[in-house]
Amino acid sequence: MRNRLILQEVTRTFKDGGNERMILNQLNLEVAEGELVAVMGPSGSGKSTFLSIAGALLEPTGGRVLLDGESIGGKDKQELSELRLRKIGFIFQSANLIPYLKVEEQLILVAKLAGMDKAKAAKRAKELLDEVGLSHRRTAYSEKLSGGERQRVAITRALMNDPAVLFADEPTASLDAARGLDVVRMIAKQVKSRRKSAVMVTHDDRVLPLCDRVLYLEDGKFIKKY
């Protein structure tokens, strides 16, 4: 079983009033294909920094990150952008849908950016929307969707280019309990069936039983494992 996401001795420091502040301290993590890992921790524990580095949005001060066996180190901005487009799917706290695009168009745009054939993109969008029960909403604009429907669109958009790794940042924060559980259940199902490695940053204890592992981040280290 492959580890599609690997962090090795990842360190990140920031200058704070002339002092160097340690945010991540030799952090190690391996996430296997088909595995959903939850990361928890108090505000200021480094969760956002961890997610930014693992998602190739921020360069670590030390250590390295491997996405599907490919190191993000030494790449320029354009190469990192292409890597994110090919290897990573992001699901955010708010769905971040483009208001002037219909549901199906949200997915087609991502595929177009990656250079996917138009017919293939249309077929894949249809299959993904069918899987999450949104085929009847494919021509709807985001303002007409419920919060849960928006997050389901966000999940399909994240999967559109068949990424190796999924990152979810507080995906249930704007949802009630039932819809939040539905969304995480859907993420977990897609991770298993499509053999992705996935990390979800969350404060929502209710969704933890749906995860394969729960890691607790404090002072830049994983100090507690459930």
Side-chain angles (χ1 to χ4, degrees):
M1 187 178 292
R2 289 182 297 167
N3 294 314
R4 307 193 77 174
L5 173 65
I6 300 174
L7 276 69
Q8 297 175 331
E9 302 290 323
V10 167
T11 298
R12 177 69 191 191
T13 59
F14 288 102
K15 293 289 185 181
D16 183 11
N19 297 316
E20 192 170 66
R21 183 182 169 212
M22 181 75 71
I23 305 299
L24 299 180
N25 186 4
Q26 296 185 320
L27 202 63
N28 291 290
L29 176 64
E30 295 181 351
V31 185
E33 59 182 5
E35 184 179 29
L36 173 59
V37 175
V39 172
M40 305 187 78
S43 297
S45 62
K47 298 189 303 299
S48 295
T49 302
F50 154 74
L51 205 59
S52 295
I53 288 175
L57 294 167
L58 182 66
E59 188 176 353
T61 306
R64 67 178 189 152
V65 178
L66 299 171
L67 292 166
D68 214 22
E70 184 176 357
S71 174
I72 70 171
K75 296 185 183 296
D76 61 29
K77 288 183 178 180
Q78 181 61 37
E79 289 172 325
L80 286 173
S81 179
E82 291 175 1
L83 179 70
R84 288 191 295 270
L85 193 58
R86 290 185 292 108
K87 297 286 189 181
I88 300 173
F90 290 101
I91 303 165
F92 301 100
Q93 178 174 332
S94 55
N96 288 350
L97 302 181
I98 300 171
Y100 55 83
L101 293 181
K102 298 173 183 177
V103 166
E104 188 176 48
E105 293 169 342
Q106 308 274 347
L107 278 61
I108 297 296
L109 175 61
V110 174
K112 183 178 180 180
L113 291 173
M116 189 183 297
D117 174 80
K118 189 174 181 180
K120 181 181 177 182
K123 182 173 182 287
R124 182 163 178 80
K126 182 182 183 304
E127 289 173 350
L128 286 169
L129 291 172
D130 284 347
E131 280 189 34
V132 300
L134 284 179
S135 57
H136 66 298
R137 304 292 268 156
R138 65 185 184 83
T139 60
Y141 289 99
S142 60
E143 64 180 12
K144 300 297 184 181
L145 303 177
S146 68
E149 286 175 331
R150 290 191 191 104
Q151 285 296 62
R152 279 190 276 164
V153 175
I155 292 168
T156 58
R157 183 180 59 186
L159 290 166
M160 190 64 190
N161 291 335
D162 195 26
V165 184
L166 286 177
F167 293 107
D169 186 8
E170 300 281 2
T172 67
S174 60
L175 303 175
D176 61 34
R179 287 189 176 90
L181 283 169
D182 283 344
V183 163
V184 176
R185 193 175 290 115
M186 195 165 293
I187 292 171
K189 178 182 177 182
Q190 294 294 332
V191 168
K192 294 285 186 298
S193 65
R194 297 179 181 277
R195 310 305 297 167
K196 310 301 181 188
S197 292
V199 174
M200 176 178 64
V201 169
T202 184
H203 286 101
D204 192 346
D205 293 339
R206 298 165 298 189
V207 303
L208 299 183
L210 299 171
C211 302
D212 298 293
R213 279 190 289 156
V214 181
L215 307 180
Y216 196 84
L217 185 62
E218 189 168 306
D219 296 327
K221 283 182 178 273
F222 291 128
I223 63 167
K224 191 175 183 179
K225 300 183 180 183
Y226 297 84

